[in-house]
Amino acid sequence: MRKVCVYGKGGIGKSTVVANAAAAAAKAGNRVMVVGCDPKADTTRVLMHGRIETILDVHARLGGRLTRADAAHEGAFGVLCMESGGPRAGEGCAGKGIALALKDIQELRIVEEFAPDLILYDVLGDVVCGGFSTPLREKVAEAAYIVTTSDYMSLYAANGICRCIRKYADRGGCRLGGLIYNERSAVGDESAAADFARAVGTRIAGRVPLDRAISRAEMRRSTVIECEPDSAAARAFEAIADEMLHGAETAVPEPLSTEALEAIGERIAAQFAQSEEGFAQ
């Protein structure tokens, strides 16, 4: 069994990566389980072809008396889907949903009964909140991947996640499997993300191409693997799924200092200004 958590800045494409990698792995014959740990509860939308009730909402409705059928639902290619959920905006800590989901997984023996080959946790990248660091702190995963672009703020978030991974890896927690580079960015040059990866001691472990097939599939509430299996995006997600299933190269990252991170930011700004000047000409 391979247990992986996927982190990254909000809106960077984590849920897209997790859902499509899960579909690709399951289509290849693996048993796959996805746990959405983002309070938006949208990780499994394209796997379930719609939204499912969150763990928090099920507990509120049933008063805590859950069965596996209440908590987990079968989606595309047989992927077992769960959403932790979160409070309404401004009304509480999203970490409560993650903790409750992990508790239910253990008490309902979902992993033991389903026996997945791959478990994917989709986690919001703001790990300054203790709740979002739960998958790292509780050692529920053995490898973490960070979805990023070459934009400065996505690398800034990635550096914070590296700091958290480093903290818990030193205590026997999961290690960094690598970065997954998403081409969907105003900064189309991968070099800044590659520079960042080398600096923290990791690699670009996967790439998501700029492919309209992804948007078309999401509008249909479906995965690219189902809708456009011959697309460049589908091939990319298949490669990412293979990495998550079999990737053995992990590391304890060395997060960058503020000065080193700002230096990368200055290079990004210079490259962007150059490209804008060329476009104007």
Side-chain angles (χ1 to χ4, degrees):
M1 186 192 305
R2 179 87 165 162
K3 296 171 287 185
V4 170
C5 53
V6 179
Y7 279 92
K9 175 180 173 288
I12 206 68
K14 298 180 305 301
S15 298
T16 298
V17 168
V18 168
N20 282 279
K27 184 180 179 182
N30 299 283
R31 293 176 67 80
V32 182
M33 178 175 164
V34 170
V35 184
C37 299
D38 190 316
K40 295 192 303 296
D42 59 354
T43 302
T44 61
R45 174 179 174 269
V46 295
L47 288 164
M48 294 298 304
H49 306 149
R51 291 184 178 273
I52 58 175
E53 195 173 17
T54 70
I55 297 295
L56 275 177
D57 287 343
V58 174
H59 272 273
R61 178 169 59 84
L62 299 179
R65 298 180 294 276
L66 272 66
T67 66
R68 174 182 150 177
D70 296 318
H73 309 270
E74 187 174 310
F77 303 109
V79 175
L80 194 66
C81 299
M82 299 179 67
E83 290 283 0
S84 67
R88 294 176 182 174
E91 293 186 4
C93 174
K96 180 181 177 182
I98 300 174
L100 198 55
L102 295 178
K103 180 172 176 285
D104 285 340
I105 288 170
Q106 182 177 20
E107 291 184 353
L108 296 172
R109 296 183 57 80
I110 292 175
V111 173
E112 290 82 357
E113 290 185 14
F114 185 66
D117 301 299
L118 176 65
I119 306 177
L120 293 174
Y121 298 89
D122 173 19
V123 195
L124 191 64
D126 191 5
V127 292
V128 293
C129 167
F132 296 143
S133 68
T134 302
L136 302 175
R137 190 175 65 247
E138 298 299 323
K139 305 176 186 177
V140 299
E142 59 200 353
Y145 291 87
I146 303 173
V147 181
T148 187
T149 64
S150 276
D151 293 290
Y152 175 75
M153 289 310 298
S154 71
L155 296 176
Y156 181 90
N159 198 53
I161 296 162
C162 284
R163 189 172 290 114
C164 193
I165 292 171
R166 173 60 192 253
K167 175 181 179 179
Y168 292 113
D170 285 344
R171 303 177 188 178
C174 81
R175 294 159 63 95
L176 180 60
L179 306 185
I180 296 174
Y181 179 73
N182 191 346
E183 292 182 4
R184 188 193 67 186
S185 168
V187 181
D189 189 341
E190 184 182 318
S191 61
D195 288 347
F196 174 82
R198 282 191 294 271
V200 299
T202 189
R203 65 204 165 103
I204 304 288
R207 292 169 176 81
V208 180
L210 185 61
D211 188 344
R212 289 188 177 182
I214 297 172
S215 296
R216 288 193 295 266
E218 289 182 346
M219 284 189 284
R220 294 169 64 182
R221 296 188 300 180
S222 188
T223 65
V224 176
I225 308 303
E226 295 169 89
C227 290
E228 303 196 33
D230 297 323
S231 64
R235 291 192 295 274
F237 289 127
E238 287 165 0
I240 291 169
D242 187 69
E243 163 66 32
M244 290 177 170
L245 277 162
H246 306 295
E249 186 178 337
T250 60
V252 178
E254 289 287 347
L256 302 186
S257 66
T258 300
E259 293 75 20
L261 194 60
E262 288 290 347
I264 290 178
E266 288 169 8
R267 291 202 298 275
I268 293 170
Q271 289 168 352
F272 187 72
Q274 242 181 356
S275 66
E276 286 288 282
E277 185 180 340
F279 180 76
Q281 291 175 351

